[in-house]
Amino acid sequence: ARWLTSADHPLTHRVWVNRVWQGHFGRGFVETANDFGVQTPKPEHAKLLDWLTSEFVASGFSTKHLHRLIVLSS
């Protein structure tokens, strides 16, 4: 559990960023919001997902910052 929730483990944070994106636009970067497993298709716009995830982590895991970043971007 510690490894899964640590700041060094990007998967958990990517899932959260995907869910926030899905909340705004109706669909996430990955078809299945609950499964980023090895049998899941690769995310659309993987670089954007990774960048948003790195911004989320850098902001101290601020969901408010993530919402603002998504909504105020062009």
Side-chain angles (χ1 to χ4, degrees):
R2 287 186 191 142
W3 174 73
L4 188 61
T5 58
S6 74
D8 297 336
H9 190 277
L11 185 59
T12 308
H13 312 307
R14 288 180 74 186
V15 169
W16 180 244
V17 170
N18 187 59
R19 284 179 179 266
V20 171
W21 184 273
Q22 184 178 22
H24 285 289
F25 300 109
R27 73 187 280 240
F29 294 105
V30 178
E31 293 177 17
T32 55
N34 297 325
D35 185 10
F36 271 48
V38 294
Q39 295 182 352
T40 304
K42 300 227 183 254
E44 294 180 30
H45 310 291
K47 288 183 181 182
L48 178 57
L49 175 59
D50 290 341
W51 181 77
L52 286 170
T53 302
S54 67
E55 287 291 315
F56 175 62
V57 171
S59 73
F61 308 102
S62 171
T63 301
K64 185 176 185 177
H65 173 76
L66 181 60
H67 283 295
R68 284 184 180 158
L69 190 61
I70 292 170
V71 176
L72 297 176
S73 67
S74 56

